[in-house]
Amino acid sequence: MSTDASGLDISAIRAQFPIVERIAYFNTGTAGVSPLSVAAATWADMQAFELDGEHGWGAGCERMERGREALAALLSAQREEIALTRNATDGVNLVVEGVGWRDGDEALLSAEEHPSMLFPWTYLTQRRDAKLNRFDLGMTPEETLGNVRAALTPRTRLLATSHVSSVTGKRAPAKEIAALCRERGILTLFDGAQAVGQFPLDLGDIGGDFYTGNCHKWLLGPKGTGFLYVRRDSLDELTPTFVGAGTGHFSDEGGLEPLDTASRFEYGTRDFGRYGGVEAVIEWHHGLGMDREFVRMRHLTDYLRDRLCALDGITVHTPRSWEDSSAMTTFSVPGVSGVELFHELREDHAVKLRIVGEVDGNRISTAVFNTEEEIDRLISLLHPYAKTAN
Ligand SMILES: Cc1ncc(COP(=O)(O)O)c(C=O)c1O
């Protein structure tokens, strides 16, 4: 059983992740590993289609719809507000290209964005008369909100930010940001790639216009599955960039009439089985109890931070409090290359972190299947580095 208040049977959970026998895997923030039972269910769904061919199309679509339902329920969204995508980046691109951009409009981005956000927005400014402004994510919600207020201009059309930063693990005060923007008529896009599966999400309550995410990180679901949430009353703010079978139908006048749901952003043949796997992984989480998983992740994160912060010479870039952060902790050792540290830990000690170039450091993801023993091992490996820090 577990050593924390979650009551989870950690040995049974670890048996679902054979990777833990070979490596201390602290990189769920890049790629979540699916439990064996979920991977098997996903493959079975994919195989079902191969066995039945076009005959199985209807069943495949039903599986996909069940994946959508499960996802919508998990996110406290309506199923009509969920467009199924391949990844979080798809959602960013649909918003960047779909918002009717007017000359001189400005987008306000946080200073800690992943290329999935930065590249599409930068590319937009290369093709249109558009400007990007940035604001710093603070160590507290108040600081972040102050930075947002100071960075808004009369030309700000849309604010786009990670809900959880992939750089530092900071959690942005999404609800407060959405309210601030809404009262000024500014659209919001949240990138939840690092938020979905880390803590409870209620997208209706957050109140943003668009929220993109994936199922292949903290949700531990099939790779190549994601979603774009489009708030019902914001649907007409976005024009579909790609259209095709599934997007809508011909109107009486012969024009294309897009669906009146977020499915208008979907088109063409899909890998239906993968979305069946989305349902399977969400059921797996419910079987454990997601709240218990959150307790576990918070416990491991606190356990790690207590020890990491106690190491002399190590700089921790993540807020100490769980509410202002997530199960990702970024640190660096002044004078020690983050890349070298990463390689030594991976190649010599079978510990997998993720390099964070922005701070010349590394990020540690503490997922439900990690253990205190793995953290102790990591900390003991960091001792010599801490001593050499200058
Ligand atoms: C904040 C953030 N957004 C987006 C992505 C990219 O997600 P996807 O590959 O699903 O597009 C990542 C991946 O690390 C991320 O950390």
Side-chain angles (χ1 to χ4, degrees):
M1 291 301 282
S2 67
T3 46
D4 57 71
S6 71
L8 290 170
D9 182 343
I10 303 304
S11 306
I13 291 177
R14 282 170 73 81
Q16 286 282 319
F17 299 90
I19 190 173
V20 303
E21 289 160 23
R22 287 181 287 113
I23 191 163
Y25 189 70
F26 288 117
N27 197 17
T28 297
T30 294
V33 178
S34 289
L36 280 181
S37 58
V38 170
T42 309
W43 292 330
D45 273 353
M46 290 163 78
Q47 195 184 32
F49 189 80
E50 301 312 332
L51 294 176
D52 281 349
E54 181 271 335
H55 210 60
W57 203 274
C61 288
E62 276 169 30
R63 280 192 199 101
M64 189 166 101
E65 289 313 310
R66 289 205 305 268
R68 189 194 311 272
E69 296 259 343
L71 202 48
L74 183 80
L75 302 169
S76 296
Q78 298 167 28
R79 60 181 299 288
E80 295 78 14
E81 295 175 314
I82 301 292
L84 293 173
T85 63
R86 295 166 300 183
N87 47 49
T89 312
D90 269 350
V92 176
N93 278 286
L94 286 168
V95 173
V96 171
E97 298 302 326
V99 169
W101 207 256
R102 301 168 305 222
D103 283 352
D105 277 351
E106 297 175 359
L108 177 59
L109 269 64
S110 99
E112 294 190 20
E113 292 309 319
H114 189 271
S116 57
M117 186 82 105
L118 268 185
F119 286 177
W121 284 110
T122 302
Y123 191 45
L124 177 82
T125 63
Q126 288 169 224
R127 292 171 294 137
R128 305 265 183 90
D129 175 16
K131 188 176 162 211
L132 291 191
N133 297 319
R134 311 294 292 273
F135 70 94
D136 285 329
L137 290 174
M139 292 299 263
T140 62
E142 296 70 31
E143 206 186 318
T144 302
L145 285 170
N147 295 343
V148 169
R149 271 194 206 94
L152 291 172
T153 80
R155 307 215 75 156
T156 309
R157 179 81 192 286
L158 186 147
L159 179 148
T161 181
S162 295
H163 193 176
V164 170
S165 157
S166 63
V167 180
T168 58
K170 285 175 194 161
R171 191 188 310 194
K175 185 172 174 173
E176 291 75 10
I177 291 176
L180 190 72
C181 289
R182 190 157 280 258
E183 71 196 23
R184 290 165 169 76
I186 296 166
L187 296 168
T188 45
L189 163 65
F190 294 102
D191 172 357
Q194 299 289 1
V196 183
Q198 289 230 51
F199 44 82
L201 278 174
D202 183 333
L203 299 191
D205 184 55
I206 287 177
D209 298 286
F210 317 118
Y211 194 106
T212 187
N214 60 43
C215 310
H216 45 227
K217 291 185 188 285
W218 293 92
L219 219 45
L220 313 176
K223 312 308 161 267
T225 53
F227 68 90
L228 174 66
Y229 161 89
V230 182
R231 195 179 177 79
R232 228 182 194 306
D233 56 18
S234 305
L235 189 66
D236 290 330
E237 299 287 351
L238 276 193
T239 306
T241 310
F242 305 103
V243 293
T247 304
H249 33 251
F250 280 117
S251 66
D252 292 343
E253 294 76 40
L256 170 67
E257 205 168 280
L259 297 175
D260 62 1
T261 68
S263 291
R264 63 166 61 173
F265 303 106
E266 299 169 8
Y267 51 90
T269 306
R270 296 284 173 132
D271 193 347
F272 305 120
R274 277 185 203 281
Y275 297 100
V278 171
E279 184 193 27
V281 81
I282 291 174
E283 277 178 1
W284 184 84
H285 287 296
H286 288 325
L288 289 183
M290 283 201 100
D291 286 346
R292 300 205 297 170
E293 291 187 76
F294 298 147
V295 168
R296 170 80 184 160
M297 289 195 282
R298 180 181 182 151
H299 160 74
L300 287 178
T301 304
D302 286 344
Y303 185 92
L304 167 71
R305 287 185 195 158
D306 284 348
R307 283 150 187 80
L308 199 60
C309 292
L311 287 182
D312 268 350
I314 298 245
T315 309
V316 177
H317 301 273
T318 309
R320 188 70 190 77
S321 99
W322 171 260
E323 284 78 11
D324 300 335
S325 62
S326 64
M328 297 195 300
T329 306
T330 299
F331 73 98
S332 57
V333 191
V336 174
S337 149
V339 174
E340 275 172 34
L341 176 59
F342 169 84
H343 285 293
E344 173 167 340
L345 291 176
R346 192 185 68 177
E347 277 124 45
D348 299 348
H349 302 287
V351 173
K352 183 80 199 303
L353 308 185
R354 193 263 204 186
I355 298 166
V356 181
E358 290 88 335
V359 297
D360 195 16
N362 277 269
R363 187 182 73 195
I364 309 163
S365 295
T366 31
V368 67
F369 53 76
N370 289 122
T371 61
E372 293 87 340
E373 292 71 28
E374 288 175 332
I375 293 171
D376 289 342
R377 194 156 75 78
L378 169 61
I379 294 291
S380 68
L381 290 167
L382 292 178
H383 272 282
Y385 282 99
K387 280 192 207 123
T388 59
N390 53 32

